[in-house]
Amino acid sequence: MSTNRIILGLVLLLLLIFPAFNMPYPNTFLIILFLYILLAQSIDLLMGYAGYINMGHICFFGIGAYTFGILWNKGLHLYISFVAGGVAAVLFALLISFPFFRLRGHYFALATFALVKLMEHLTLNLPSLTQGSDGLMVLQGNRMIPMYYLSLFLVVAVIGVTYYITRSRLGLAMASVREQEQIASDFGVPVQRTKTTAMVIAAAFAGLMGSFYTWYTIFINPEMVFGIEIALMPLAMAMLGGSGVIIGPVIGAIFLFIVEETLWTRMAYLHTAAYGLVILLVGLFMPGGLVRLRPFRRALMRVGLYQEI
Amino acid sequence: MEIAIQLVIAGILQGGVYALAAFGLSLIFGVSDVLNLAHGEFLMLGGLVTFLVFEATGLNPFLTGLFMLPMTFFLGYMFDRLLMRPLATKKEHVRIMSSVLVTLGAAITIEDGISFLFGAEEKGVDYSLPSFFWGDIYISYLRLLAMVMIAALTVGIHYYLKKTFTGRALRATAQNLRGAMLVGVDTRVIRSVTFGIGSLLASIAGVFYVVLLSIAPDMGLSVTIKYLCIIVLGGLGSLIGSLVGGVLLGLTESVVSYYTPHWGQTAAFLMLVGILLIRPKGLFGK
Amino acid sequence: MKKKGILLCVGLLIAFTMVASDLALAAEPKEILIGSTLALSGRFKGIVGEFDKLAKAWTDLVNERGGIYVKEYGKKLPIRIQIYDDASKQENARKFYEKMAADPNIAFFLGPFSSFISNAAITVAGKHKIPMQMVCANDSVLFDKYNYWRVGTLKPAEDEWRCLIPFYKAKGGLKTFATITMDTLHNKGATRGFEESLEKNGFKVVYSEIAPPPTKNFAPIITKMKKANPDAVCIEALSMGFSIGFLKQMREAGFKPKEVILGHVTKHVIDALGPDAENITGLAYFFDGTTQDHKDYTEICRRSGFTWGEFMESSIRYWAYTRVKAAIEKAGTLDRKKIMDTLWDMKIKIMGFDSYVVPTGYGTLGTWPCQVKGGEFVSIYPVEKGLKLHKFKNP
């Protein structure tokens, strides 16, 4: 058995039996971490592989969150509402893929960013549907253990799917779109379909995680799911960890999360500034992300975890 | 009828303030090809310094703004020199990412730092000029001033770009980096100069903000997004575009807010997205 | 290269241990430890960011007097308030309260700032059965569902503006009101309650508007309000940027109603408007007095480096702290259930005013009118005093 499989297996095993240790705080800790990892990983599907920086990725998350909340409050069964969150996000992705993929580069990035603001405003302005600024509250469904396993499952799924994509024709198509879209199209690569597929997959995961989030935090409001900070976070994490490498966003999410945690509990003041400084330094000195740093890369390669398209 | 005129005037004037800030961003983007997420911070800093000076000495905020210009230029120049220059040589894909990380990190750090040093609450300056009344319609002199200023700036920058050597060097860098280097333009310095000018413009807008409304240390990122959207709407790299974009946004907000305040901001963004989909490069994009 | 790799791994290891050490259980202290989070950064920083100093000032004051007497141990114990920064986010508050719930040294909780963050906090309190004295939280969202483990300090948001009614009835001269409210749960509740009271008491609401928090351009709204020609304009917003923007634009528009009332008025508004802030009427969670509570409150504000006018919410904090202290003393123990029972049942006087809890969980701290005079806040309660001091903004 190759090293990477052993490592992955061990990590997975540890995570699976973790709840048995019965530590509520680390449990919460891990669930949030899984959330971050999933968001970072899903944004990278379109960013690192297809080369489109979707700064509005969080819209999928928010739409999933609200869809779940609205449907569950109306009495729809829990599982159906949950899946509906993902479905709504996918539908939204399909909706915007045609017009938005006509834009390139910076235009695409900024237009999608505008989408976030748009969604935030729409949510605020349709209070009959979303309770607007009051926020949406769902029934108390705070059961730690099923929640833990659900989020773990989603994270493993998104990483697994990303892995399979890198080995599939879709992955190859995405890479060609990233490198030279015009030439790829000339050579017969179904560019539009490739991009849309990538976005849809990313949206599905983000949307499901959105459903989970509402279930978990019981209360959401537009700022929480469409706010600037949460919108920029997956972006920063994926870039910081290493965009285009499967394990990159995971590392990025873990890194930023730990930095956040340690800074927060150690420094009463200025921890956000320190956080910003860390992001700045990484951007300046490690532009390919942490994973592409030579020592890291070597270590990961030796272990077989360094996979990019 | 009067109300319509009032709304249009208010909208245009508000748009003028928006355009002022967006200008700088457009310039920076045109030349350096960088998404500057820290632009709003310069606006905030401009407003902050004005506030502090006003608190301490009561000096006319516009005078403070004037004296502040060299300082913000220097800050912007150094920002680019230290933080953005190393990124210029990277591949495009990597460059976009690292510039996002660097400017975002800088923005977060500045916001928190200022918040810590000067307090996080809103700061406003009490400086007002009487409004000009025409029946029931009022026009605020201050906003008119902002409009005049931006018009003057547009003309000024236009001439700067066309006639002066630095200006032409700037345009050359924006059009073709390699070409400009070939003819002897020190593109690195030009980029820093552009950044300085852009930040300068932002700080002027900041003065208007602190006088007309108020500023707070954490306003940076949200205004930056708005301005990014404006320059995209107007077309990246086009100065006229950001002017038109800003005014258009102000107008839409004003008119729609009259009927339903809630949809005012939403309408503006809907319009932005709509225009982008019809003209993917923005209104005046190259 | 290998050294760099080792360095990185070591760095990571250190980081991990640091985090892990927070999870380890601490030794037994000999003090009363109260856990809470505050918005020391983020969008609420401007309102409560200095309150960690306030907490320290209060605990210092209490400890200087020997601490709090706990009958169960037969002696006075010092008190300490543990504060984490929730950065104005619900998520973080929940995380920190969970963390504190896992710490057996924490006796119980104090609430964070704002209703919706408190919402996250009380779910933790309820789950782990830890008493929570909420502080700045009075939205119906928190009290609609009964939760034994939380009580509030404040009256419902709907009641906040009602203290003005007896005053304006006595003063006369105002018939019509216009309101502009920021779109948040709290603000809307406050305005709703006020408008109901106004109508019931013979006043008329001629214009009512709700605007989203980031609104910067109020010209359309002001134009409409001008047409309605109200005697008084009421601005209810948690964000000072909103209030300042509106007031400045009123000035630009030459809109000078007889009376201007600002729901959450602070010193920063005064600074932003200069002499134009004179005679703005507002609401404070405080009124002048000479009780020991008043002296203590002024003292801790002084020690924290501000006056009550700069941070109005500080007096709510003071009430919450005093309730906590009284509950411990009355219960005579740190047992959680007994503390919670006491918090529900006790009735004490703070600053000469009754403090107790109603069956839904709301407290009794309301507001009292005040007015800006000479760049300072002057309390204009009771009505007799107010009638002497109060002046209309634009008579």
Side-chain angles (χ1 to χ4, degrees):
Chain A
M1 269 242 251
S2 45
T3 337
N4 63 332
R5 289 187 196 238
I6 299 179
I7 296 183
L8 288 175
L10 275 173
V11 169
L12 198 60
L13 194 65
L14 191 67
L15 290 175
L16 277 170
I17 62 173
F18 191 79
F21 298 129
N22 198 19
M23 299 192 265
Y25 174 56
N27 224 318
T28 321
F29 191 95
L30 277 175
I31 294 182
I32 308 285
L33 182 60
F34 293 160
L35 173 75
Y36 286 2
I37 295 179
L38 187 137
L39 284 175
Q41 190 74 39
S42 50
I43 199 179
D44 205 36
L45 262 173
L46 202 57
M47 182 162 73
Y49 302 112
Y52 276 77
I53 302 181
N54 181 6
M55 288 174 89
H57 183 74
I58 206 76
C59 288
F60 303 134
F61 177 75
I63 289 174
Y66 265 97
T67 309
F68 173 78
I70 295 170
L71 289 176
W72 200 27
N73 271 349
K74 287 217 191 317
L76 211 59
H77 185 53
L78 181 66
Y79 298 159
I80 300 184
S81 308
F82 187 81
V83 172
V87 170
V90 164
L91 287 174
F92 184 71
L94 285 170
L95 180 70
I96 65 171
S97 65
F98 286 101
F100 275 75
F101 276 132
R102 295 202 290 156
L103 307 168
R104 297 286 148 82
H106 294 284
Y107 288 95
F108 181 80
L110 288 173
T112 47
F113 209 11
L115 259 184
V116 179
K117 268 278 159 181
L118 187 63
M119 288 310 301
E120 186 183 1
H121 284 285
L122 277 176
T123 328
L124 278 169
N125 296 342
L126 296 169
S128 47
L129 189 65
T130 63
Q131 313 292 333
S133 63
D134 297 351
L136 194 67
M137 185 146 91
V138 296
L139 320 165
Q140 194 100 1
N142 209 340
R143 279 165 296 142
M144 205 47 106
I145 308 239
M147 285 183 168
Y148 175 82
Y149 283 114
L150 181 60
S151 52
L152 178 59
F153 170 72
L154 284 174
V155 170
V156 170
V158 77
I159 299 180
V161 166
T162 316
Y163 177 72
Y164 277 108
I165 288 182
T166 59
R167 304 199 146 227
S168 71
R169 287 187 64 162
L170 177 66
L172 208 56
M174 281 160 68
S176 66
V177 165
R178 178 185 70 211
E179 296 301 327
Q180 292 279 25
E181 183 164 345
Q182 190 55 49
I183 296 182
S185 164
D186 291 340
F187 268 81
V189 175
V191 176
Q192 180 67 20
R193 199 168 53 169
T194 309
K195 294 191 284 194
T196 311
T197 316
M199 193 189 253
V200 160
I201 298 177
F205 279 109
L208 286 173
M209 203 34 143
S211 294
F212 171 79
Y213 187 67
T214 308
W215 187 38
Y216 174 67
T217 51
I218 301 170
F219 174 82
I220 55 168
N221 68 11
E223 200 205 340
M224 280 165 72
V225 297
F226 292 117
I228 305 174
E229 291 127 349
I230 199 167
L232 291 172
M233 210 163 52
L235 202 71
M237 288 180 170
M239 287 184 181
L240 203 151
S243 176
V245 181
I246 298 183
I247 203 161
V250 177
I251 301 276
I254 295 179
F255 179 77
L256 269 183
F257 187 60
I258 291 186
V259 165
E260 223 182 82
E261 272 293 302
T262 32
L263 286 177
W264 224 316
T265 48
R266 300 289 138 181
M267 298 170 67
Y269 300 104
L270 288 179
H271 53 81
T272 317
Y275 183 74
L277 212 60
V278 169
I279 297 182
L280 190 152
L281 289 173
V282 170
L284 206 51
F285 297 116
M286 304 184 238
L290 281 174
V291 170
R292 290 200 172 87
L293 285 179
R294 242 170 289 159
F296 238 132
R297 187 156 142 191
R298 289 244 185 94
L300 286 172
M301 274 182 153
R302 218 171 293 152
V303 151
L305 281 174
Y306 189 89
Q307 285 266 28
E308 51 177 15
I309 312 180
Chain B
M1 189 51 212
E2 277 184 344
I3 302 204
I5 301 182
Q6 178 72 76
L7 290 178
V8 167
I9 294 177
I12 293 181
L13 294 180
Q14 177 77 28
V17 180
Y18 286 155
L20 194 60
F23 239 34
L25 201 56
S26 189
L27 209 61
I28 295 177
F29 184 80
V31 172
S32 315
D33 205 28
V34 152
L35 280 178
N36 180 16
L37 291 173
H39 192 74
E41 310 308 320
F42 288 100
L43 189 146
M44 188 265 291
L45 284 171
L48 182 71
V49 169
T50 314
F51 171 78
L52 292 171
V53 170
F54 188 82
E55 283 280 289
T57 65
L59 190 64
N60 183 319
F62 291 104
L63 231 58
T64 320
L66 206 64
F67 291 138
M68 207 171 48
L69 296 182
M71 190 180 89
T72 14
F73 178 84
F74 180 71
L75 261 174
Y77 186 94
M78 290 316 290
F79 188 89
D80 180 85
R81 173 88 181 69
L82 295 171
L83 296 175
M84 310 296 295
R85 203 175 277 191
L87 305 176
T89 50
K90 310 248 181 350
K91 230 171 57 173
E92 194 208 344
H93 197 52
V94 177
R95 195 176 64 228
I96 299 183
M97 290 201 211
S98 39
S99 60
V100 165
L101 283 175
V102 169
T103 50
L104 179 65
I108 296 178
T109 312
I110 295 176
E111 282 190 6
D112 204 36
I114 298 288
S115 194
F116 176 73
L117 290 169
F118 297 103
E121 59 294 329
E122 303 279 339
K123 300 162 192 341
V125 154
D126 169 45
Y127 179 83
S128 59
L129 291 172
S131 295
F132 168 70
F133 287 96
W134 190 18
D136 241 351
I137 303 178
Y138 68 93
I139 301 179
S140 149
Y141 268 139
L142 272 174
R143 291 181 192 257
L144 208 57
L145 185 65
M147 202 63 209
V148 165
M149 190 167 274
I150 187 168
L153 274 168
T154 316
V155 173
I157 291 187
H158 185 76
Y159 271 107
Y160 177 76
L161 289 177
K162 272 255 157 70
K163 304 290 180 178
T164 70
F165 177 74
T166 341
R168 294 210 300 268
L170 237 135
R171 278 167 57 214
T173 319
Q175 284 174 6
N176 191 328
L177 189 69
R178 286 266 154 78
M181 285 183 347
L182 273 172
V183 292
V185 170
D186 188 347
T187 52
R188 296 174 316 167
V189 170
I190 289 295
R191 288 168 44 116
S192 301
V193 166
T194 318
F195 215 95
I197 298 178
S199 312
L200 195 147
L201 292 171
S203 66
I204 298 178
V207 173
F208 277 104
Y209 257 83
V210 82
V211 169
L212 287 171
L213 299 159
S214 61
I215 55 133
D218 61 2
M219 72 187 289
L221 278 173
S222 19
V223 296
T224 308
I225 296 178
K226 201 167 209 166
Y227 299 134
L228 283 173
C229 293
I230 291 178
I231 65 173
V232 172
L233 172 67
L236 288 170
S238 159
L239 290 176
I240 298 281
S242 27
L243 182 65
V244 172
V247 170
L248 212 58
L249 208 78
L251 261 173
T252 320
E253 267 183 14
S254 183
V255 171
V256 176
S257 297
Y258 181 78
Y259 295 104
T260 41
H262 277 89
W263 288 91
Q265 310 248 351
T266 320
F269 279 102
L270 272 169
M271 181 186 70
L272 167 70
V273 173
I275 289 187
L276 270 181
L277 299 179
I278 305 172
R279 279 186 67 95
K281 291 243 164 198
L283 287 171
F284 294 91
K286 318 204 173 102
Chain C
M1 290 307 123
K2 206 160 176 228
K3 262 200 241 158
K4 256 202 195 170
I6 295 180
L7 221 65
L8 258 167
C9 291
V10 169
L12 275 174
L13 213 65
I14 295 180
F16 267 111
T17 29
M18 276 161 81
V19 174
S21 69
D22 286 322
L23 310 176
L25 302 172
E28 289 271 21
K30 277 270 142 235
E31 61 177 0
I32 306 172
L33 188 56
I34 314 280
S36 74
T37 71
L38 262 182
L40 294 176
S41 63
R43 63 194 181 112
F44 294 138
K45 181 180 170 174
I47 308 176
V48 297
E50 308 284 318
F51 287 2
D52 53 338
K53 296 200 197 98
L54 194 74
K56 180 132 197 331
W58 182 73
T59 48
D60 282 346
L61 195 67
V62 169
N63 294 338
E64 275 161 24
R65 295 175 185 164
I68 302 182
Y69 182 72
V70 184
K71 192 157 113 178
E72 187 179 347
Y73 305 120
K75 61 177 183 171
K76 283 186 161 192
L77 287 177
I79 182 166
R80 189 161 68 88
I81 300 181
Q82 168 84 289
I83 300 181
Y84 285 109
D85 177 9
D86 59 34
S88 317
K89 298 225 193 83
Q90 229 210 12
E91 185 93 307
N92 301 316
R94 166 201 285 270
K95 182 174 74 176
F96 285 118
Y97 279 106
E98 283 281 359
K99 188 173 163 152
M100 292 189 280
D103 182 353
N105 299 312
I106 300 242
F108 49 95
F109 291 149
L110 263 174
F113 174 77
S114 96
S115 302
F116 98 97
I117 299 186
S118 298
N119 208 2
I122 60 175
T123 52
V124 177
K127 190 167 81 169
H128 294 278
K129 302 200 180 13
I130 301 181
M132 171 172 286
Q133 171 68 52
M134 296 198 290
V135 187
C136 306
N138 61 354
D139 290 342
S140 48
V141 136
L142 295 160
F143 297 97
D144 281 341
K145 223 168 62 141
Y146 179 75
N147 180 346
Y148 170 77
W149 292 98
R150 57 100 185 99
V151 286
T153 311
L154 290 169
K155 270 194 187 158
E158 283 79 1
D159 285 344
E160 276 196 1
W161 282 64
R162 290 189 176 145
C163 65
L164 291 167
I165 307 269
F167 177 75
Y168 283 125
K169 271 180 109 162
K171 173 125 187 176
L174 290 182
K175 197 81 185 66
T176 52
F177 284 74
T179 65
I180 168 79
T181 312
M182 192 168 99
D183 190 358
T184 65
L185 197 61
H186 176 94
N187 295 137
K188 285 190 289 195
T191 308
R192 193 169 46 229
F194 187 53
E195 289 180 349
E196 271 170 21
S197 295
L198 282 174
E199 299 282 335
K200 271 203 211 111
N201 282 281
F203 297 97
K204 206 166 171 315
V205 178
V206 294
Y207 182 79
S208 185
E209 187 75 73
I210 301 178
T215 311
K216 291 273 178 293
N217 184 10
F218 293 101
I221 298 177
I222 293 177
T223 315
K224 282 194 278 190
M225 217 185 245
K226 255 174 118 171
K227 281 193 107 180
N229 202 11
D231 291 326
V233 168
C234 312
I235 307 169
E236 167 68 17
L238 277 174
S239 149
M240 273 165 279
F242 189 97
S243 311
I244 294 176
F246 192 82
L247 287 165
K248 279 193 172 172
Q249 287 174 37
M250 268 175 66
R251 184 169 62 184
E252 261 174 48
F255 181 34
K256 292 188 178 0
K258 202 164 179 188
E259 178 79 320
V260 175
I261 316 172
L262 198 55
H264 293 261
V265 57
T266 62
K267 193 149 193 321
H268 308 110
V269 173
I270 302 181
D271 289 338
L273 290 171
D276 270 343
E278 187 73 5
N279 288 333
I280 289 183
T281 309
L283 298 169
Y285 299 100
F286 176 74
F287 62 95
D288 284 337
T290 49
T291 65
Q292 181 62 36
D293 281 319
H294 280 92
K295 294 204 192 79
D296 286 346
Y297 172 61
T298 321
E299 174 62 18
I300 63 173
C301 285
R302 188 192 65 83
R303 287 193 195 187
S304 311
F306 53 78
T307 63
W308 68 266
E310 286 177 84
F311 293 103
M312 293 264 183
E313 312 275 334
S314 56
S315 80
I316 311 178
R317 291 265 142 194
Y318 180 78
W319 274 59
Y321 296 151
T322 314
R323 283 183 56 85
V324 159
K325 174 162 176 286
I328 299 175
E329 285 168 346
K330 279 196 197 292
T333 167
L334 292 178
D335 172 69
R336 287 173 174 171
K337 178 121 195 351
K338 293 224 179 61
I339 296 266
M340 202 63 224
D341 285 336
T342 319
L343 280 172
W344 278 103
D345 298 331
M346 74 179 187
K347 185 168 176 163
I348 55 174
K349 272 209 185 298
I350 306 183
M351 295 186 183
F353 210 70
D354 282 334
S355 168
Y356 55 90
V357 172
V358 299
T360 45
Y362 280 109
T364 52
L365 175 54
T367 54
W368 293 276
C370 63
Q371 195 169 43
V372 178
K373 291 203 175 292
E376 295 290 329
F377 289 99
V378 170
S379 167
I380 53 173
Y381 176 85
V383 177
E384 304 81 46
K385 178 174 173 196
L387 288 172
K388 270 189 245 142
L389 289 174
H390 175 270
K391 285 200 186 46
F392 282 125
K393 180 101 179 53
N394 302 297

